[in-house]
Amino acid sequence: MAELDLPLPMYNWLVSFFDGHTHRTVYNGGASSTMSISASIVQGSSLGPASYAVIAADLNPLHADNKFVKFADDTYLVIPANSVHTHAVELDHIAAWATENNLTLNTSKTKEVIFYDSRRRHSAQSPPLLPGIAREFTLKILGVTLSSHLSVSDHIRASSVTARSRCMPCVSYGITV
């Protein structure tokens, strides 16, 4: 953020905001020790998404056909079938970028989904699995569940179950006139 052309009072306010953050966890009557937070993205803060957007501005794919989609603190890497051989090097690039920016690539939250058109008669060979990265059949993007068949039917099904569970117990009356 120091590289942005900001008025000095705004810059000083940001420095003050990010300086001196601590965290501790309280669970089941016990508390962890307090630790300093040195990251420039404070989860749950109003500046978190904007600060991530500034920090992630220089995160670009290594290969021209690949694209990043970034929103708030979520980043999606889209690799077309003709560049599938680049998936491992792109993931290594993301991990290195994160380290350079005092961030950590959380591989337990990193998922791989291979989207394909089920109407095609033949399909491309799937790339080899990446160590530590789960391959799944659905991906939640901005709150919408998208399946590997490019369908939102799983999302609609889950949404209608949630809606029904929120109105329970419901009373239904059959009235005949």
Side-chain angles (χ1 to χ4, degrees):
M1 289 201 186
E3 295 176 18
L4 295 176
D5 186 23
L6 296 173
L8 190 58
M10 182 177 281
Y11 177 79
N12 289 337
W13 181 82
L14 286 170
V15 168
S16 175
F17 175 81
F18 288 116
D19 187 43
H21 282 277
T22 59
H23 176 81
R24 76 180 187 140
T25 301
V26 177
Y27 177 74
N28 203 19
S32 68
S33 59
T34 301
M35 301 290 292
S36 294
I37 298 174
S38 60
S40 60
I41 299 171
V42 180
Q43 287 285 357
S45 72
S46 58
L47 286 180
S51 62
Y52 180 75
V54 169
I55 289 170
D58 68 342
L59 175 59
N60 297 302
L62 295 174
H63 298 273
D65 290 341
N66 301 340
K67 304 291 182 226
F68 278 113
V69 178
K70 305 170 200 170
F71 181 78
D73 61 350
D74 290 332
T75 301
Y76 302 95
L77 172 63
V78 179
I79 301 176
N82 65 330
S83 296
V84 73
H85 63 281
T86 68
H87 76 295
V89 71
E90 288 284 12
L91 194 66
D92 288 343
H93 170 65
I94 295 167
W97 172 88
T99 300
E100 289 171 17
N101 286 280
N102 197 26
L103 300 169
T104 304
L105 175 62
N106 188 341
T107 55
S108 69
K109 290 185 175 181
T110 302
K111 308 294 181 213
E112 179 182 58
V113 177
I114 299 173
F115 295 102
Y116 62 93
D117 186 348
S118 59
R119 298 171 294 182
R120 291 190 176 210
R121 296 184 192 270
H122 65 292
S123 61
Q125 182 75 17
S126 293
L129 291 171
L130 293 170
I133 306 298
R135 184 172 289 168
E136 300 195 356
F137 295 102
T138 61
L139 181 65
K140 199 169 202 173
I141 301 174
L142 301 178
V144 176
T145 302
L146 190 61
S147 77
S148 60
H149 299 288
L150 295 173
S151 167
V152 294
S153 60
D154 289 334
H155 176 76
I156 293 168
R157 193 171 13 267
S159 296
S160 49
V161 166
T162 300
R164 280 195 305 267
S165 68
R166 285 186 181 150
C167 75
M168 293 297 184
C170 291
V171 178
S172 199
Y173 297 97
I175 301 173
T176 306
V177 179

